[in-house]
Amino acid sequence: MRKLPVFRSVGEVFSGVTRHYFQLIGVAWPALIFILIAMGLYAWSFHQAGIGALFDLLNAEGTPPEEIGAAYEAVAERATGPVYYAAFILTTLASAVAAVRWHRFVLMGEGGSFLLRMEDARYIWTFIKVTLLYFLMAVLLFAVIFGIAGIAGIAERGGNPAGAGFLGVVLAISMVIGYLLILGLSLRLMLALPDVAIGLPGKVRAVLAATQGNTWRMVGYALLIGLVYGVVILVLILVLAILGGVLGAGPLVLAISGVVGIAAYFYFVMLSVTMLSVAYREIVGLPGGHEGEATVAEPTPGL
């Protein structure tokens, strides 16, 4: 049973994605095509919804905030039509297509790719299975929480406030531990994604068995990566807010925000995919081990 080296893996994920950001974009060129088409569809849907008039209101002197809010809601409602949802579907497809290419790059060193691969469809199906299992675990957690809450309510109505208070503390602790446990289990299940991306069966049960003893390590691993990424996003939002204050709301600021948003989106997906790839390599290992044991692979040259 192998254990995930958490801190070393976090460092590898960020250093790899940062240093090879444009190389990763290059290997995922099919996803970039889908993203560009989707962004064009998004822009068209908001243009048709009258976003230009909203910019006029934002730049006008003395426009009441209520009028701006109403105009924004009207534009958002008109924009969410067939074109908007088509863009959303393309964005979702692009995420899967990019993920498969990045898994294969990190784990196999593969640089080139076809527009679409068989693994793309299998990846989406595996993601759906993992998501359904996550929701089932969440439903089970909520059932336990509601059960404890119900018992606490009965105790309080029965004139036992001390017992109700104790059960309240148990409820709070159970919620935190239960959420983190489900997070760790779901992350272990998600290691089926790099498995299927490199052409293996991607059997969720087999991956879960192969990752025993790593639930809490996966939790810490994901939380550390999310914390660092959150700090980066806060800095970007602050910079864009300052830029908007200097230049004013308009097409230029919208274009800059769009470019930064796309770059941040790709960086986030790269982090997520690389996080799973590195964990998969360290815990499950790559094909080719002796006597059925997975090989403890060294980090690939690309990452």
Side-chain angles (χ1 to χ4, degrees):
M1 181 187 300
R2 288 198 293 269
K3 299 289 187 177
L4 175 69
V6 175
F7 293 103
R8 189 189 78 193
S9 298
V10 169
E12 183 183 345
V13 169
F14 276 100
S15 65
V17 172
T18 303
R19 288 186 293 110
H20 299 280
Y21 181 85
F22 293 103
Q23 188 177 2
L24 286 164
I25 288 179
V27 300
W29 63 266
L32 183 60
I33 292 174
F34 293 133
I35 284 289
L36 291 175
I37 295 173
M39 295 307 297
L41 293 176
Y42 278 129
W44 174 255
S45 65
F46 278 97
H47 172 73
Q48 292 295 100
I51 197 171
L54 177 60
F55 284 135
D56 293 338
L57 284 177
L58 289 171
N59 291 319
E61 292 284 343
T63 305
E66 296 81 7
E67 185 177 349
I68 294 175
Y72 175 81
E73 291 179 3
V75 168
E77 183 177 354
R78 288 194 298 266
T80 52
V83 175
Y84 180 92
Y85 290 115
F88 175 78
I89 292 172
L90 277 176
T91 304
T92 303
L93 175 62
S95 298
V97 169
V100 170
R101 275 70 183 167
W102 291 333
H103 282 308
R104 296 179 70 86
F105 176 76
V106 175
L107 296 174
M108 302 170 63
E110 184 177 277
S113 178
F114 300 104
L115 180 64
L116 290 171
R117 304 180 59 97
M118 182 64 68
E119 289 85 1
D120 298 334
R122 295 178 60 204
Y123 193 93
I124 294 173
W125 172 237
T126 304
F127 182 80
I128 292 172
K129 289 192 297 183
V130 171
T131 303
L132 289 175
L133 288 171
Y134 171 80
F135 279 116
L136 286 175
M137 289 187 292
V139 168
L140 179 61
L141 173 63
F142 280 118
V144 172
I145 290 172
F146 285 134
I148 297 175
I151 295 172
I154 293 171
E156 186 174 4
R157 289 192 298 270
N160 186 6
F166 173 75
L167 287 174
V169 173
V170 172
L171 177 63
I173 296 174
S174 298
M175 289 177 63
V176 174
I177 294 177
Y179 171 76
L180 294 177
L181 181 61
I182 289 176
L183 175 63
L185 288 173
S186 64
L187 288 170
R188 286 173 54 196
L189 291 171
M190 289 181 71
L191 294 187
L193 296 174
D195 193 77
V196 76
I198 61 175
L200 296 177
K203 293 182 179 180
V204 175
R205 186 177 300 177
V207 170
L208 191 63
T211 57
Q212 287 182 355
N214 284 277
T215 299
W216 297 109
R217 287 174 179 263
M218 290 295 293
V219 169
Y221 180 53
L223 291 180
L224 282 173
I225 290 175
L227 178 63
V228 176
Y229 180 75
V231 172
V232 172
I233 289 299
L234 286 176
V235 171
L236 285 178
I237 291 173
L238 179 61
V239 170
L240 289 175
I242 295 173
L243 186 63
V246 172
L247 300 179
L252 177 59
V253 174
L254 178 64
I256 294 173
S257 299
V259 171
V260 172
I262 293 173
Y265 166 78
F266 270 103
Y267 192 82
F268 172 75
V269 180
M270 288 175 188
L271 283 178
S272 303
V273 171
T274 306
M275 178 186 77
L276 295 177
S277 296
V278 171
Y280 178 85
R281 186 198 67 218
E282 294 291 339
I283 302 172
V284 180
L286 298 180
H290 301 289
E291 298 181 358
E293 296 182 0
T295 302
V296 181
E298 294 293 330
T300 60
L303 287 174

